[in-house]
Amino acid sequence: MTTDVRRATRWNRPLMILVSVMAVLGVVTVVGILVDPRVLTGAPIWLKPFKFAVSFVLYGATLAWMLSLLPRRSRAVERAVVVIVAVAVVENALIVGQVIRGQTSHFNDSTPLNTALFAAMGAAIMVLFFAHLVIAIVVMIQRIPDRVAATAVRWGLGLSLLGMLAAVPMALPTQDPGIEGITGAHSVGVPDGGPGLPIVGWSTTGGDLRIGHFVGLHALQALPILAILLSRFATRLGERTRARLLVVAGSAYGVLTVLLTWQALREQPLLRPDAVTLAAVAALVVATATATGLVLARRRRPELALAA
Protein backbone atom coordinates (compact mmCIF):
# COMPACT_ATOMS: atom_id res chain seq x y z
CA MET A 1 0.00 0.00 0.00
CA THR A 2 2.83 2.39 0.89
CA THR A 3 4.50 1.60 -2.43
CA ASP A 4 1.28 2.33 -4.31
CA VAL A 5 0.92 5.70 -2.58
CA ARG A 6 4.51 6.64 -3.38
CA ARG A 7 3.99 5.63 -7.00
CA ALA A 8 0.85 7.78 -7.15
CA THR A 9 2.73 10.84 -5.91
CA ARG A 10 5.02 10.53 -8.93
CA TRP A 11 2.23 10.44 -11.55
CA ASN A 12 2.34 14.19 -12.08
CA ARG A 13 3.89 16.43 -9.44
CA PRO A 14 1.86 19.65 -10.00
CA LEU A 15 -1.44 17.76 -10.12
CA MET A 16 -0.65 15.67 -7.05
CA ILE A 17 0.30 18.82 -5.13
CA LEU A 18 -3.08 20.23 -6.15
CA VAL A 19 -4.76 17.05 -4.91
CA SER A 20 -3.02 17.42 -1.53
CA VAL A 21 -4.03 21.08 -1.21
CA MET A 22 -7.64 20.33 -2.16
CA ALA A 23 -7.74 17.43 0.32
CA VAL A 24 -6.67 19.82 3.09
CA LEU A 25 -9.27 22.33 1.91
CA GLY A 26 -11.87 19.57 2.02
CA VAL A 27 -11.08 18.91 5.68
CA VAL A 28 -11.27 22.65 6.44
CA THR A 29 -14.66 22.93 4.75
CA VAL A 30 -16.00 19.94 6.69
CA VAL A 31 -15.04 21.75 9.89
CA GLY A 32 -16.77 24.85 8.51
CA ILE A 33 -19.96 22.88 7.84
CA LEU A 34 -19.92 21.55 11.40
CA VAL A 35 -19.15 24.78 13.27
CA ASP A 36 -20.52 27.56 11.04
CA PRO A 37 -24.33 27.74 11.27
CA ARG A 38 -24.76 30.10 8.31
CA VAL A 39 -26.99 28.97 5.46
CA LEU A 40 -26.86 30.33 1.89
CA THR A 41 -29.38 29.49 -0.87
CA GLY A 42 -30.85 26.76 1.29
CA ALA A 43 -27.58 24.93 2.10
CA PRO A 44 -24.76 25.20 4.66
CA ILE A 45 -22.52 28.03 3.49
CA TRP A 46 -19.40 25.80 3.45
CA LEU A 47 -21.04 23.05 1.38
CA LYS A 48 -20.15 24.57 -2.01
CA PRO A 49 -16.39 24.87 -1.31
CA PHE A 50 -16.50 21.33 0.13
CA LYS A 51 -17.99 19.96 -3.10
CA PHE A 52 -15.49 21.89 -5.21
CA ALA A 53 -12.58 20.64 -3.10
CA VAL A 54 -13.69 17.01 -3.44
CA SER A 55 -14.29 17.49 -7.16
CA PHE A 56 -10.78 18.80 -7.72
CA VAL A 57 -9.27 15.98 -5.64
CA LEU A 58 -10.95 13.46 -7.96
CA TYR A 59 -10.18 15.47 -11.08
CA GLY A 60 -6.51 16.04 -10.23
CA ALA A 61 -5.82 12.45 -9.16
CA THR A 62 -7.58 10.94 -12.18
CA LEU A 63 -5.91 13.28 -14.65
CA ALA A 64 -2.49 12.61 -13.09
CA TRP A 65 -3.02 8.86 -13.46
CA MET A 66 -4.12 9.29 -17.07
CA LEU A 67 -1.03 11.32 -17.94
CA SER A 68 1.19 8.66 -16.36
CA LEU A 69 0.04 6.32 -19.16
CA LEU A 70 1.49 8.50 -21.92
CA PRO A 71 4.54 6.87 -23.54
CA ARG A 72 6.46 10.14 -23.73
CA ARG A 73 6.44 13.60 -22.18
CA SER A 74 4.65 16.47 -23.88
CA ARG A 75 5.57 20.11 -23.32
CA ALA A 76 2.04 21.15 -24.29
CA VAL A 77 0.59 18.83 -21.65
CA GLU A 78 2.99 20.07 -18.98
CA ARG A 79 2.02 23.68 -19.66
CA ALA A 80 -1.67 22.81 -19.72
CA VAL A 81 -1.30 21.08 -16.35
CA VAL A 82 0.29 24.18 -14.82
CA VAL A 83 -2.61 26.26 -16.17
CA ILE A 84 -5.16 23.84 -14.71
CA VAL A 85 -3.50 23.88 -11.30
CA ALA A 86 -3.37 27.69 -11.29
CA VAL A 87 -7.03 27.95 -12.33
CA ALA A 88 -8.08 25.45 -9.64
CA VAL A 89 -6.30 27.44 -6.95
CA VAL A 90 -7.82 30.73 -8.12
CA GLU A 91 -11.32 29.26 -8.44
CA ASN A 92 -11.32 27.74 -4.98
CA ALA A 93 -9.72 30.80 -3.38
CA LEU A 94 -12.50 32.97 -4.80
CA ILE A 95 -15.21 30.58 -3.62
CA VAL A 96 -13.77 30.40 -0.10
CA GLY A 97 -13.30 34.17 -0.06
CA GLN A 98 -16.97 34.67 -0.87
CA VAL A 99 -17.97 32.23 1.86
CA ILE A 100 -15.93 34.21 4.38
CA ARG A 101 -17.72 37.36 3.20
CA GLY A 102 -21.08 35.61 3.47
CA GLN A 103 -21.76 36.00 -0.25
CA THR A 104 -22.73 33.57 -3.01
CA SER A 105 -19.89 32.99 -5.43
CA HIS A 106 -21.96 32.09 -8.51
CA PHE A 107 -24.41 34.30 -10.43
CA ASN A 108 -23.83 37.11 -7.92
CA ASP A 109 -24.28 40.51 -9.56
CA SER A 110 -25.35 42.38 -6.44
CA THR A 111 -22.28 44.67 -6.23
CA PRO A 112 -19.45 45.63 -8.60
CA LEU A 113 -17.04 43.49 -6.55
CA ASN A 114 -19.29 40.43 -6.64
CA THR A 115 -19.82 40.91 -10.36
CA ALA A 116 -16.07 41.12 -10.96
CA LEU A 117 -15.39 38.00 -8.85
CA PHE A 118 -18.00 35.94 -10.67
CA ALA A 119 -16.66 37.16 -14.04
CA ALA A 120 -13.15 36.12 -12.93
CA MET A 121 -14.40 32.65 -12.02
CA GLY A 122 -16.16 32.33 -15.37
CA ALA A 123 -13.00 33.34 -17.22
CA ALA A 124 -10.92 30.91 -15.15
CA ILE A 125 -13.20 28.00 -15.99
CA MET A 126 -12.98 28.83 -19.70
CA VAL A 127 -9.18 28.74 -19.42
CA LEU A 128 -9.41 25.36 -17.66
CA PHE A 129 -11.69 24.07 -20.44
CA PHE A 130 -9.16 24.90 -23.15
CA ALA A 131 -6.24 23.55 -21.12
CA HIS A 132 -8.18 20.30 -20.66
CA LEU A 133 -8.91 20.29 -24.41
CA VAL A 134 -5.18 20.56 -25.16
CA ILE A 135 -4.52 17.52 -22.96
CA ALA A 136 -7.32 15.58 -24.66
CA ILE A 137 -5.87 16.33 -28.10
CA VAL A 138 -2.37 15.22 -27.08
CA VAL A 139 -3.75 12.00 -25.58
CA MET A 140 -5.63 11.34 -28.82
CA ILE A 141 -2.43 11.79 -30.83
CA GLN A 142 -0.07 9.74 -28.67
CA ARG A 143 -0.26 5.96 -28.87
CA ILE A 144 -0.92 4.38 -25.47
CA PRO A 145 0.19 0.70 -25.58
CA ASP A 146 -2.76 -0.59 -23.54
CA ARG A 147 -5.66 -0.38 -25.99
CA VAL A 148 -8.37 -0.71 -23.33
CA ALA A 149 -6.84 1.96 -21.10
CA ALA A 150 -6.33 4.24 -24.09
CA THR A 151 -10.00 3.95 -25.06
CA ALA A 152 -11.15 4.69 -21.52
CA VAL A 153 -8.84 7.67 -21.12
CA ARG A 154 -9.76 9.24 -24.46
CA TRP A 155 -13.51 8.84 -23.92
CA GLY A 156 -13.20 10.02 -20.33
CA LEU A 157 -11.36 13.18 -21.34
CA GLY A 158 -13.77 13.90 -24.20
CA LEU A 159 -16.95 13.31 -22.19
CA SER A 160 -15.68 15.43 -19.31
CA LEU A 161 -15.43 18.30 -21.81
CA LEU A 162 -19.08 17.64 -22.65
CA GLY A 163 -19.83 17.79 -18.92
CA MET A 164 -18.18 21.19 -18.70
CA LEU A 165 -20.26 22.44 -21.62
CA ALA A 166 -23.41 21.18 -19.88
CA ALA A 167 -22.88 23.96 -17.32
CA VAL A 168 -23.03 26.74 -19.93
CA PRO A 169 -26.86 27.10 -19.86
CA MET A 170 -26.64 28.04 -16.17
CA ALA A 171 -25.25 31.46 -17.09
CA LEU A 172 -27.29 32.14 -20.25
CA PRO A 173 -29.84 35.00 -20.28
CA THR A 174 -32.66 32.44 -20.30
CA GLN A 175 -31.57 31.41 -16.80
CA ASP A 176 -31.85 34.93 -15.37
CA PRO A 177 -34.46 34.46 -12.59
CA GLY A 178 -35.45 38.11 -12.60
CA ILE A 179 -34.15 38.58 -9.04
CA GLU A 180 -32.10 41.69 -8.39
CA GLY A 181 -28.41 40.86 -8.07
CA ILE A 182 -28.75 37.34 -9.56
CA THR A 183 -27.79 36.66 -13.19
CA GLY A 184 -28.13 32.89 -13.53
CA ALA A 185 -29.30 29.72 -11.81
CA HIS A 186 -28.70 26.01 -11.39
CA SER A 187 -32.42 25.21 -11.27
CA VAL A 188 -34.86 25.58 -14.16
CA GLY A 189 -38.47 26.56 -13.53
CA VAL A 190 -37.97 27.03 -9.79
CA PRO A 191 -35.73 29.29 -7.68
CA ASP A 192 -32.33 28.03 -6.51
CA GLY A 193 -32.24 26.98 -2.87
CA GLY A 194 -35.56 25.09 -2.87
CA PRO A 195 -36.13 21.43 -1.89
CA GLY A 196 -33.31 19.23 -3.13
CA LEU A 197 -31.74 15.79 -2.93
CA PRO A 198 -29.45 15.14 0.07
CA ILE A 199 -25.80 16.30 -0.21
CA VAL A 200 -25.90 17.18 -3.92
CA GLY A 201 -28.87 19.53 -3.50
CA TRP A 202 -30.34 18.83 -6.95
CA SER A 203 -33.82 20.28 -7.18
CA THR A 204 -36.72 17.93 -6.52
CA THR A 205 -39.33 20.41 -7.73
CA GLY A 206 -37.84 21.60 -11.04
CA GLY A 207 -35.07 20.95 -13.52
CA ASP A 208 -31.45 21.13 -12.38
CA LEU A 209 -28.58 21.72 -14.80
CA ARG A 210 -26.01 20.47 -12.29
CA ILE A 211 -27.05 16.87 -12.95
CA GLY A 212 -25.84 16.65 -16.56
CA HIS A 213 -22.80 18.72 -15.58
CA PHE A 214 -21.96 16.29 -12.77
CA VAL A 215 -22.52 13.13 -14.80
CA GLY A 216 -20.48 14.41 -17.75
CA LEU A 217 -17.55 15.53 -15.61
CA HIS A 218 -17.30 12.19 -13.84
CA ALA A 219 -16.92 10.27 -17.07
CA LEU A 220 -13.29 10.99 -16.26
CA GLN A 221 -13.57 8.38 -13.48
CA ALA A 222 -16.44 6.20 -14.73
CA LEU A 223 -14.84 5.04 -18.01
CA PRO A 224 -11.45 4.10 -16.47
CA ILE A 225 -13.23 2.25 -13.66
CA LEU A 226 -15.21 0.29 -16.24
CA ALA A 227 -11.96 -0.44 -18.12
CA ILE A 228 -10.37 -1.75 -14.92
CA LEU A 229 -13.38 -3.97 -14.21
CA LEU A 230 -13.37 -5.35 -17.74
CA SER A 231 -9.63 -6.02 -17.62
CA ARG A 232 -9.97 -7.81 -14.31
CA PHE A 233 -13.16 -9.80 -14.73
CA ALA A 234 -13.58 -10.15 -18.51
CA THR A 235 -10.12 -11.06 -19.73
CA ARG A 236 -11.57 -13.89 -21.87
CA LEU A 237 -13.21 -11.28 -24.10
CA GLY A 238 -9.91 -10.12 -25.49
CA GLU A 239 -8.46 -6.62 -25.69
CA ARG A 240 -10.22 -5.59 -28.90
CA THR A 241 -13.67 -6.64 -27.64
CA ARG A 242 -13.17 -4.87 -24.31
CA ALA A 243 -12.15 -1.70 -26.14
CA ARG A 244 -15.27 -1.92 -28.31
CA LEU A 245 -17.45 -2.36 -25.24
CA LEU A 246 -15.91 0.81 -23.82
CA VAL A 247 -16.82 2.66 -27.01
CA VAL A 248 -20.42 1.49 -26.56
CA ALA A 249 -20.37 2.55 -22.91
CA GLY A 250 -18.80 5.92 -23.75
CA SER A 251 -21.37 6.60 -26.44
CA ALA A 252 -24.23 5.73 -24.07
CA TYR A 253 -22.67 7.87 -21.34
CA GLY A 254 -22.46 10.87 -23.66
CA VAL A 255 -26.09 10.47 -24.72
CA LEU A 256 -27.11 10.16 -21.06
CA THR A 257 -25.31 13.43 -20.25
CA VAL A 258 -27.19 15.21 -23.04
CA LEU A 259 -30.47 13.55 -22.03
CA LEU A 260 -30.12 14.70 -18.40
CA THR A 261 -29.37 18.25 -19.50
CA TRP A 262 -32.35 18.17 -21.86
CA GLN A 263 -34.57 16.92 -19.05
CA ALA A 264 -33.42 19.75 -16.79
CA LEU A 265 -34.02 22.39 -19.47
CA ARG A 266 -37.60 21.08 -19.69
CA GLU A 267 -38.03 21.91 -15.97
CA GLN A 268 -38.29 18.26 -14.87
CA PRO A 269 -36.84 16.97 -11.58
CA LEU A 270 -34.49 14.03 -11.99
CA LEU A 271 -36.80 11.62 -10.15
CA ARG A 272 -40.03 12.81 -11.82
CA PRO A 273 -39.51 12.28 -15.56
CA ASP A 274 -42.44 12.52 -17.95
CA ALA A 275 -43.39 9.94 -20.59
CA VAL A 276 -41.17 11.54 -23.24
CA THR A 277 -38.10 11.39 -20.98
CA LEU A 278 -38.85 7.79 -20.01
CA ALA A 279 -39.20 6.86 -23.68
CA ALA A 280 -35.81 8.46 -24.41
CA VAL A 281 -34.21 6.54 -21.54
CA ALA A 282 -35.79 3.30 -22.74
CA ALA A 283 -34.49 3.92 -26.27
CA LEU A 284 -31.00 4.54 -24.88
CA VAL A 285 -31.11 1.31 -22.87
CA VAL A 286 -32.29 -0.73 -25.87
CA ALA A 287 -29.69 0.82 -28.19
CA THR A 288 -26.91 0.21 -25.65
CA ALA A 289 -27.98 -3.39 -25.05
CA THR A 290 -28.22 -4.02 -28.80
CA ALA A 291 -24.78 -2.54 -29.47
CA THR A 292 -23.31 -4.58 -26.61
CA GLY A 293 -24.88 -7.73 -28.03
CA LEU A 294 -23.48 -7.00 -31.48
CA VAL A 295 -19.98 -6.51 -30.07
CA LEU A 296 -20.15 -9.81 -28.19
CA ALA A 297 -21.62 -11.62 -31.22
CA ARG A 298 -18.83 -10.25 -33.40
CA ARG A 299 -16.33 -11.72 -30.95
CA ARG A 300 -17.92 -15.17 -31.12
CA ARG A 301 -18.14 -15.27 -34.91
CA PRO A 302 -14.41 -15.98 -35.53
CA GLU A 303 -14.55 -18.73 -32.90
CA LEU A 304 -17.46 -20.39 -34.72
CA ALA A 305 -15.60 -20.13 -38.02
CA LEU A 306 -12.56 -21.84 -36.53
CA ALA A 307 -14.74 -24.60 -35.07
CA ALA A 308 -16.29 -25.24 -38.48
Side-chain angles (χ1 to χ4, degrees), residues 248 252-253 255-256 259 277-293:
V248 172
Y253 200 101
V255 173
L256 178 63
L259 195 157
T277 302
L278 288 174
V281 172
L284 175 59
V285 171
V286 170
T288 303
T290 301
T292 300

Side-chain angles (χ1 to χ4, degrees), residues 17-31 50 53-54 57:
I17 290 174
L18 174 66
V19 168
S20 301
V21 172
M22 291 298 106
V24 172
L25 177 60
V27 173
V28 171
T29 56
V30 168
V31 174
F50 167 76
V54 172
V57 166

Side-chain angles (χ1 to χ4, degrees), residues 34-54:
L34 295 175
V35 303
D36 191 338
R38 291 179 296 167
V39 173
L40 198 61
T41 60
I45 197 167
W46 285 95
L47 184 59
K48 182 182 286 290
F50 167 76
K51 290 192 288 187
F52 269 74
V54 172

Side-chain angles (χ1 to χ4, degrees), residues 253-291:
Y253 200 101
V255 173
L256 178 63
T257 300
V258 174
L259 195 157
L260 290 170
T261 304
W262 172 66
Q263 180 188 15
L265 289 170
R266 293 165 57 234
E267 304 183 6
Q268 289 178 29
L270 175 66
L271 302 181
R272 289 165 52 192
D274 64 7
V276 176
T277 302
L278 288 174
V281 172
L284 175 59
V285 171
V286 170
T288 303
T290 301

